[in-house]
Amino acid sequence: MSTQPVVQVEDLDVYYGTSQILFGVGLSVQPGETMALLGRNGAGKSTTMKAIMGLAPARRGRVTLHGRVVSGLKPYHIARAGLGFVPEDRQIFPDHTVEDNLVIGRKKGPDGQDEWPVKRIYDVFPLLEPLRYRVAGRLSGGEQQMLAIARTLMGNPALLLLDEPSEGLAPIIVQRIGELLRQLRGSGATVLIAEQNMHFCLGLASHATVIDKGQIVYSASIEDLKANDSIRQRYLAL
Ligand SMILES: Nc1ncnc2c1ncn2[C@@H]1O[C@H](COP(=O)(O)OP(=O)(O)O)[C@@H](O)[C@H]1O
Ligand SMILES: [Mg+2]
């Protein structure tokens, strides 16, 4: 018996103006999986994330969340339906405190879930607690990334989408964020991470999907990817 995916993406075509960027992109994420969407710079990872969120309109294809079609809805409604997106530029409120940023993100999940009170956030993100009254614009890049993830969790998403969470951060911070995402996976969260940094994902994802030139070229378990030299060489080597 197969379980229903949390999110299923089918046959997405996306254009920017007249140039086609995504070609029939499909992927699905099962409950409790951490799916890495891997590919080189310009492969179409961010566009895929934006298309799922309704921020980049798809000309063809559909996105379903727990079997319900959400493509075609406004981004706000897609977020309400249970997709929590942390974009590449993080979009925290720089003039507000850490705690205000968290509280701004608070909402119940699509089925009334209220699993992320501020106290749990500080348990999972202990670095944020002593910074709670600090203005978010003063935080380091790594702290801002943690805040952006924490704020999105405050919205009790059924699926957390992270666009390049390791980008531009020092190796030690990348490691901390990796630990945090492993911990989230352990707590049963369902996550889709777009990353250029395959090594960052190898230790924390359960599955991998590889995109190249706007097309999905591979999808399997993370163990399969680790064992598959040719896919790694062909699509992921720098
Ligand atoms: N706003 C845009 N307008 C036109 N082309 C874009 C825009 N954003 C991205 N692209 C192009 O779409 C392709 C995929 O980009 P993107 O999804 O950002 O890739 P990735 O996130 O994998 O680096 C690239 O060729 C990029 O130049
Ligand atoms: Mg990107």
Side-chain angles (χ1 to χ4, degrees), residues 105-122:
R106 182 158 202 184
K107 69 176 164 64
K108 292 201 169 141
D111 298 316
Q113 299 92 330
D114 191 7
E115 292 169 6
W116 289 97
V118 178
K119 187 181 172 308
R120 181 172 174 210
I121 290 285
Y122 289 142

Side-chain angles (χ1 to χ4, degrees), residues 53 147 150 196 225:
M53 293 308 297
L147 176 59
Q196 208 173 266
L225 176 65

Side-chain angles (χ1 to χ4, degrees), residues 26-27 35-38 198 207-212 215-232 235-236:
L27 62 89
M35 170 68 77
L37 177 62
L38 300 169
M198 173 185 64
H207 293 76
T209 293
V210 178
I211 185 167
D212 187 58
Q215 300 190 51
I216 302 299
V217 292
Y218 174 85
S219 195
S221 70
I222 205 80
E223 288 73 28
D224 193 290
L225 176 65
K226 283 179 191 164
N228 195 325
D229 290 342
S230 78
I231 288 287
R232 283 186 286 113
Y235 300 111
L236 302 170

